[in-house]
Amino acid sequence: MPRNLSTSHYRPEIDGLRAFAVVAVIINHFNENLLPSGYLGVDIFFVISGYVITASLAERESKDLLDFITAFYERRMRRIVPALVVFVLITSVLICLFIPTPEQHLNMGWRSLLAFSNIQFYKEKADYFSPSTELNPFLHTWSLGVEEQFYLLFPLLVWFSGFAQQTAKGARHLLLWVGTLTLASLASFLSLYPENQVSAYFLMPCRFWELAAGCLLFIGFQKRERIEHVLDRLPPLLVIAAMVAVMFRPVAGRGGTVAIVVLAVILMACLKKGTVTYRFLTLKNVVYVGWISYSLYLWHWTVLCISRWTIGIHWWSSPFQVGLMVLLAAGSYRWVETPFRERSFGPYNKFSGKTISIVASGFLVLIGVGINLLIREFSDGAYLGGVKRGGYVYTETIYWNRDRCVSSSHGEVIPDEKIFENCALALIGGRPERASARIFWYGNSFNEQLMPAAVQIKQMSGLPMNSYAVPGCPATLSLEYAREMVAGYCMRSFRGYLDYFLKQGRNDATLVVSSSPGYWIGDANDLSGFRLKGRSLTFGEARRIYQRELNDLADLLSKKNRLLILTSGIPALTADPEACLGHWSKTNNLCPTDFSVNIREKNDAFASMLQGAGAANGKFMFLDLYSPLEAKMRESNHPVFVFYFNKDHLSRQGALLLVPTLTKALTARP
């Protein structure tokens, strides 16, 4: 039997509570309508982890800090690493077989092995509740990243408080220190959630309070006689019913998160032998589900994600999918988790068994990362769906140095005139033209997506063109876009390209600037915001500065008989078109068939803002790409997804639909 039930602090009902938590998560991930806030089971896991880790540290005797730390990490790495490595590597192979564009997903795999997938999701501003996240096989590893980052700090608190050495005031010091950090963490979670949900959701400092709640509960148990009379009359069944009620609420938000953590603490405190809830949670099969809950949490998402990419999730497939989850989890628990956790490493030369175990676990992680990267390198040709998307298809119709003319450095290299000079467009077999261009394209990825249309226009009109794209950057002269590694770079890049544009000899040149309405229209969840000379700005302030800059820029260009064109946004799909590729598109029920209403609203608001900035009186041209593009797609005999590279960027086919609209604008003069 894989558990030693005689351990002094072992509570079988806690494993039963793990089973309750993981089942809630799985039900929510199967169909969020069945248990809308079942994802809060992860928060129950956090509380349990804090409690169990504190109990584990309290019952260990250590000679010194080094012995204490190595013993802790040795146990944690044995528990987490082997199952995680096996899961990531097998899932990586499945990604190559069943997902047409595997690279981004594989990159998240090695990040999860190194315990910072949650940080990457934060950087990418991932929306956990977006339908597109259902297609990310490693999304759920964010919670492992939070836990493992918590483990970097918590053992030090336990040691330096004196709690680990069982000093007279150790428990009091730990209670004070952890309690203070808990309040600070909770305050950050509550304050950030409405305005920056990504930070509140994915970052460890905002989640510290949940794991710390379990720690505080354990310390409270040391003084149980003082609180026992309060809990004696509280029925555990009532508490667990309240937890289920919270999970039945629509997306619970911060209130639901706080409620489920508080209720989990109360339930763990009031569970007593003899109660109905205790008897149920300690049933043999329920406890077993708790034992395999870690592996079950890992594998359930792979089964669901790969199913969504292929056969879909249906009433008839659900029993088989549940069975596969349990089978994989049971196998992982028996043949991966248990052997590594129970095997002892004896001393070897001057190294202790604990040190050898830590080094071996670290080496296993590095091997896993290396194999994951190799799988990524050799993933081409593995897809079994029959169709593979090639992305932006520039090489068919264009001579364009994309590696040089699409920035990927974000702060490392500021482009200069030599770089811009090499960014002229030419046809197949031609070379970049050195003569002064007539049309200059600048913008982010929404500029880059238009280049197939630009080449088509060049073929028809012979207009010399130059293009430079900075993905992720709005075009501004003085505003720093306050996103990590981007602040200031956007501003300097646009200024550099503008200087290059103004130095060209032609007086009838046109500057086309592409951006996204999302930069300027929306709430604080859309971006981190803007800064001006180091000062943070509200969206309203940033928009007013942007409007003023547009007027000033348009005035400057008009004096030199040059035209400024700003393009609108484009329609966005309701889901990623990747799911429409391959033999399984008819069964996975994920293929988008319509456009996002939210993007239409933002585009209209963006157009209105630009009218107020000077487009209405002819200072510059606002070019609406949205309306003609939507009309042509709806008139087409093809499904809308064929016109898209991803959810909100065009494929070559989509870009070519804009040739008439762009040609009319580019050949006109004010």
Side-chain angles (χ1 to χ4, degrees):
M1 202 69 174
R3 292 276 180 165
N4 179 6
L5 301 185
S6 64
T7 302
S8 59
H9 286 107
Y10 175 69
R11 298 177 60 189
E13 72 274 22
I14 298 300
D15 275 322
L17 187 55
R18 280 196 178 103
F20 169 76
V22 77
V23 169
V25 171
I26 292 173
I27 292 173
N28 174 261
H29 288 167
F30 251 108
N31 186 337
E32 61 182 16
N33 295 322
L34 296 177
L35 197 62
S37 292
Y39 64 89
L40 293 174
V42 173
D43 302 87
I44 299 174
F45 274 124
F46 284 155
V47 177
I48 294 173
S49 292
Y51 177 87
V52 171
I53 290 302
T54 309
S56 173
L57 293 175
E59 63 188 19
R60 303 280 177 172
E61 295 184 3
S62 300
K63 299 176 291 185
D64 51 38
L65 175 60
L66 181 61
D67 181 61
F68 175 75
I69 292 294
T70 54
F72 172 78
Y73 286 119
E74 187 243 358
R75 294 192 302 275
R76 287 293 85 204
M77 293 181 80
R78 283 191 190 215
R79 169 81 168 111
I80 294 173
V81 168
L84 180 61
V85 170
V86 171
F87 154 75
V88 167
L89 295 184
I90 294 178
T91 300
S92 296
V93 173
L94 295 175
I95 287 171
C96 296
L97 296 177
F98 298 111
I99 298 181
T101 52
E103 183 173 347
Q104 181 180 0
H105 303 299
L106 293 174
N107 286 338
M108 199 59 71
W110 65 260
R111 288 183 172 93
S112 65
L113 287 174
L114 297 177
F116 62 91
S117 62
N118 62 316
I119 296 175
Q120 186 63 27
F121 286 125
Y122 159 74
K123 288 182 177 180
E124 294 177 359
K125 302 189 182 303
D127 182 358
Y128 180 84
F129 304 102
S130 167
S132 63
T133 59
E134 295 180 344
L135 302 177
N136 190 321
F138 293 116
L139 175 71
H140 63 317
T141 62
W142 73 268
S143 62
L144 298 180
V146 168
E147 279 203 41
E148 291 171 66
Q149 290 154 28
F150 175 81
Y151 297 152
L152 296 177
L153 172 64
F154 187 65
L156 298 177
L157 293 174
V158 172
W159 179 266
F160 287 108
S161 67
F163 184 78
Q165 303 93 312
Q166 298 296 310
T167 61
K169 296 183 178 180
R172 183 182 302 176
H173 288 158
L174 185 61
L175 183 66
L176 177 62
W177 295 359
V178 173
T180 301
L181 291 174
T182 298
L183 292 176
S185 173
L186 178 59
S188 68
F189 174 80
L190 294 175
S191 61
L192 284 174
Y193 199 95
E195 297 185 352
N196 194 345
Q197 190 182 69
V198 175
S199 299
Y201 200 93
F202 288 115
L203 297 185
M204 188 278 288
C206 297
R207 293 288 191 169
F208 177 93
W209 65 278
E210 298 183 50
L211 291 118
C215 166
L216 298 176
L217 173 63
F218 180 83
I219 298 173
F221 266 119
Q222 310 309 301
K223 306 292 183 183
R224 183 160 182 160
E225 66 278 1
R226 301 183 181 180
I227 60 174
E228 193 167 8
H229 67 281
V230 178
L231 301 173
D232 273 342
R233 298 182 181 180
L234 186 62
L237 187 60
L238 180 63
V239 180
I240 208 164
M243 296 171 76
V244 173
V246 170
M247 291 180 179
F248 268 109
R249 291 182 55 198
V251 178
R254 55 181 176 173
T257 302
V258 173
I260 208 73
V261 169
V262 171
L263 289 170
V265 169
I266 294 174
L267 180 63
M268 292 170 66
C270 71
L271 270 175
K272 298 177 292 291
K273 292 182 179 180
T275 62
V276 173
T277 306
Y278 182 92
R279 287 198 295 270
F280 174 77
L281 292 179
T282 54
L283 290 174
K284 181 179 179 180
N285 290 336
V286 175
V287 171
Y288 178 74
V289 173
W291 289 351
I292 68 170
S293 59
Y294 172 53
S295 287
L296 188 56
Y297 179 75
L298 290 177
W299 283 106
H300 89 281
W301 189 251
T302 292
V303 172
L304 290 177
C305 188
I306 298 300
S307 294
R308 288 188 172 101
W309 278 106
T310 53
I311 65 170
I313 297 175
H314 314 274
W315 65 266
W316 55 265
S317 65
S318 296
F320 300 100
Q321 287 155 341
V322 170
L324 183 58
M325 292 175 190
V326 174
L327 185 65
L328 289 168
S332 174
Y333 179 73
R334 178 174 179 180
W335 290 304
V336 181
E337 279 192 67
T338 302
F340 276 89
R341 189 172 56 245
E342 294 186 346
R343 182 182 176 185
S344 60
F345 292 87
Y348 178 74
N349 293 338
K350 63 179 180 180
F351 296 104
S352 69
K354 288 181 290 188
T355 304
I356 293 174
S357 182
I358 292 173
V359 171
S361 297
F363 189 59
L364 186 60
V365 168
L366 294 179
I367 291 176
V369 170
I371 295 176
N372 172 266
L373 294 175
L374 283 175
I375 291 172
R376 186 189 68 179
E377 292 301 315
F378 294 97
S379 61
D380 285 346
Y383 180 58
L384 299 179
V387 179
K388 195 161 185 176
R389 181 180 292 275
Y392 296 121
V393 187
Y394 293 121
T395 54
E396 293 182 5
T397 58
I398 187 171
Y399 183 99
W400 191 42
N401 192 342
R402 185 177 185 275
D403 290 339
R404 190 177 183 113
C405 300
V406 178
S407 169
S408 61
S409 57
H410 279 180
E412 296 174 11
V413 178
I414 300 298
D416 56 25
E417 290 188 21
K418 291 182 179 179
I419 293 177
F420 297 143
E421 189 67 27
N422 285 318
C423 293
L425 277 67
L427 305 181
I428 284 182
R431 299 197 60 79
E433 300 173 6
R434 298 296 178 181
S436 296
R438 163 82 182 275
I439 310 298
F440 294 79
W441 304 76
Y442 181 89
N444 52 19
S445 57
F446 293 96
N447 166 49
E448 186 185 0
Q449 69 178 345
L450 298 177
M451 288 304 100
V455 173
Q456 185 77 15
I457 295 169
K458 178 177 173 57
Q459 285 179 310
M460 296 186 303
S461 66
L463 290 173
M465 297 191 188
N466 183 287
S467 177
Y468 192 79
V470 189
C473 273
T476 62
L477 290 169
S478 61
L479 292 172
E480 298 178 2
Y481 176 28
R483 191 174 74 178
E484 188 170 351
M485 294 182 68
V486 181
Y489 180 76
C490 302
M491 173 189 69
R492 294 192 294 274
S493 296
F494 183 47
R495 281 182 170 178
Y497 194 78
L498 180 62
D499 289 341
Y500 170 72
F501 171 69
L502 292 172
K503 289 179 181 178
Q504 304 307 302
R506 303 189 67 123
N507 287 326
D508 61 346
T510 299
L511 176 62
V512 184
V513 176
S514 305
S515 187
S516 165
Y519 287 117
W520 309 107
I521 305 297
D523 54 34
N525 286 328
D526 292 324
L527 350 134
S528 301
F530 291 87
R531 296 187 299 181
L532 179 64
K533 297 180 180 179
R535 181 175 70 87
S536 296
L537 301 174
T538 65
F539 275 87
E541 290 174 323
R543 282 195 290 265
R544 287 191 291 273
I545 293 172
Y546 180 60
Q547 289 174 311
R548 186 173 66 247
E549 287 184 348
L550 287 179
N551 277 314
D552 293 343
L553 178 58
D555 287 339
L556 172 64
L557 297 185
S558 64
K559 291 176 182 178
K560 297 188 176 185
N561 194 31
R562 299 190 183 194
L563 175 64
L564 173 65
I565 298 179
L566 270 83
T567 64
S568 73
I570 64 167
L573 298 177
T574 53
D576 199 299
E578 275 189 317
C580 301
L581 302 175
H583 303 315
W584 299 295
S585 61
K586 295 180 180 179
T587 58
N588 58 30
N589 294 331
L590 290 175
C591 190
T593 58
D594 209 348
F595 304 111
S596 168
V597 175
N598 176 263
I599 301 299
R600 159 61 90 177
E601 293 172 348
K602 287 188 176 184
N603 191 71
D604 291 345
F606 183 55
S608 177
M609 184 189 82
L610 293 181
Q611 294 294 318
N617 57 27
K619 282 193 171 186
F620 58 87
M621 180 187 295
F622 172 66
L623 183 58
D624 179 19
L625 303 179
Y626 194 108
S627 299
L629 189 60
E630 182 182 28
K632 286 181 178 294
M633 288 180 184
R634 292 195 185 280
E635 293 169 3
S636 170
N637 293 324
H638 302 290
V640 294
F641 72 83
V642 304
F643 300 111
Y644 284 84
F645 166 65
N646 58 23
K647 184 178 178 181
D648 51 8
H649 289 80
L650 299 173
S651 65
R652 178 174 179 271
Q653 295 93 317
L656 292 180
L657 294 178
L658 289 170
V659 168
T661 302
L662 290 168
T663 301
K664 183 178 179 180
L666 296 175
T667 55
R669 296 302 303 163

